[in-house]
């Protein structure tokens, strides 16, 4: 099956610093990549939709200046949490999708645990 | 916004028992997907459903795409301890982006 990687798998940073998370589709070119965040015991909350070469589309309530998304190629998207604060601590998950057989197949990365101290 | 209502929220069962969980929505979906998530990991796709009425199996898992396209269920037969985890349903509304709407999740615990 299709493989999506994320780096780093976990990161601890100090309040006020910025953190970059990478999402890569390893064996396919992704039509679109999505970024989610997940709080403990809760479902995945979509943050933004990212297409290669264009600006990301953010969900309502997600600050685009806070969560910067860059989609440099069909296999790489990055999420930068700028000026991180403790409330940004969460599990961030990306997914990558491609069109096959008349439908979209979506595969998830293993997630990145961000802890802001 | 669109929501998926997933139930039950949690289940605690004995090994060997069958499990059933479902999702309903007020919206019509083109695709229904079922994922399993282990602690600290990303969701893994279990079953994908593309047509109303479709019934699909993957080993001990069986899922169906409701006729109305507003609901889906997932059954797990003869549960085993490694079935423990959180199961999410997800619906895909439109076919031009692949954007998914997730249910709230069902936490499954299996007692050996």
């Amino acid at each position: 099956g299709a493989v999506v990687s994320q780096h780093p798998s976990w990161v601890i940073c100090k309040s006020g610093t910025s953190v970059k998370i990478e999402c890569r589709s390893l064996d396919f070119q992704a039509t679109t990549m999505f970024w989610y965040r997940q709080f403990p015991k809760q479902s995945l909350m979509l943050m933004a939709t990212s297409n290669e070469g264009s600006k990301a589309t953010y969900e309502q309530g997600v600050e685009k200046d806070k969560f910067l998304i860059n989609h440099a190629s069909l296999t790489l998207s990055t999420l930068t949490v700028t000026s991180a604060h403790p409330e940004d601590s969460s599990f961030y998950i990306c997914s990558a999708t491609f069109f096959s057989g008349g439908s979209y197949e979506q595969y998830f990365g293993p997630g990145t645990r961000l802890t802001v101290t | 916004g669109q929501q998926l209502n997933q139930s039950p929220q949690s289940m605690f069962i004995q090994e060997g028992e069958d499990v059933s969980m479902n999702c309903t929505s007020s919206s019509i979906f083109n695709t229904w997907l079922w994922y399993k998530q282990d602690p600290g990991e990303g969701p893994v796709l279990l079953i994908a459903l593309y047509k109303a009425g479709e019934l699909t199996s993957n080993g001990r898992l069986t899922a169906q795409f409701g006729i109305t396209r507003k609901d889906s269920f997932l059954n797990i037969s003869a549960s085993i301890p490694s079935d423990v985890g959180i199961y999410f349903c997800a619906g895909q509304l439109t076919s031009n982006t692949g954007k998914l709407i997730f249910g709230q999740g069902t936490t499954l615990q299996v007692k050996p």
Side-chain angles (χ1 to χ4, degrees):
Chain A
V3 180
V4 177
S5 70
Q6 276 184 246
H7 178 79
S9 56
W10 60 270
V11 56
I12 301 173
C13 71
K14 292 186 176 180
S15 186
T17 61
S18 295
V19 173
K20 180 185 286 188
I21 302 170
E22 291 187 350
C23 178
R24 293 180 184 273
S25 56
L26 298 185
D27 50 2
F28 66 98
Q29 291 186 325
T31 311
T32 304
M33 289 185 172
F34 299 91
W35 287 96
Y36 298 82
R37 67 186 300 183
Q38 184 179 34
F39 292 107
K41 300 187 185 300
Q42 293 189 22
S43 186
L44 285 75
M45 184 191 78
L46 180 65
M47 299 174 66
T49 302
S50 174
N51 291 291
E52 183 261 344
S54 62
K55 290 183 178 180
T57 301
Y58 290 82
E59 295 298 303
Q60 190 173 7
V62 178
E63 300 175 59
K64 61 180 181 181
D65 295 329
K66 172 77 172 175
F67 300 99
L68 299 179
I69 292 173
N70 182 272
H71 199 144
S73 73
L74 287 173
T75 59
L76 173 64
S77 176
T78 61
L79 169 69
T80 301
V81 183
T82 62
S83 187
H85 288 94
E87 57 265 30
D88 297 324
S89 298
S90 188
F91 193 51
Y92 291 87
I93 308 172
C94 73
S95 70
T97 185
F98 63 93
F99 196 72
S100 174
S103 63
Y104 283 92
E105 297 192 21
Q106 187 164 152
Y107 295 88
F108 285 82
T112 297
R113 174 74 59 191
L114 171 63
T115 302
V116 185
T117 61
Chain B
Q2 296 91 5
Q3 287 188 339
L4 290 185
N5 297 310
Q6 185 172 348
S7 64
Q9 186 175 4
S10 63
M11 302 180 73
F12 191 92
I13 63 171
Q14 195 79 29
E15 182 178 2
E17 290 183 353
D18 297 343
V19 172
S20 184
M21 59 193 79
N22 70 83
C23 276
T24 61
S25 173
S26 58
S27 302
I28 293 175
F29 289 97
N30 292 330
T31 301
W32 281 94
L33 304 163
W34 285 93
Y35 290 89
K36 182 191 178 198
Q37 186 180 28
D38 291 327
E41 299 182 14
V44 174
L45 181 65
L46 299 174
I47 292 180
L49 302 160
Y50 301 107
K51 296 179 182 179
E54 180 181 355
L55 183 70
T56 298
S57 293
N58 178 7
R60 293 178 296 106
L61 278 62
T62 302
Q64 184 159 32
F65 193 147
I67 290 291
T68 64
R69 300 172 68 184
K70 294 182 179 181
D71 63 296
S72 176
F73 71 75
L74 173 70
N75 288 340
I76 305 173
S77 63
S79 59
I80 59 178
S82 62
D83 290 334
V84 167
I86 304 177
Y87 292 80
F88 290 101
C89 63
Q92 190 174 98
L93 280 169
T94 62
S95 59
N96 61 351
T97 65
K99 180 177 173 179
L100 296 178
I101 306 297
F102 278 85
Q104 301 96 326
T106 296
T107 300
L108 178 63
Q109 299 182 64
V110 180
K111 183 178 180 180

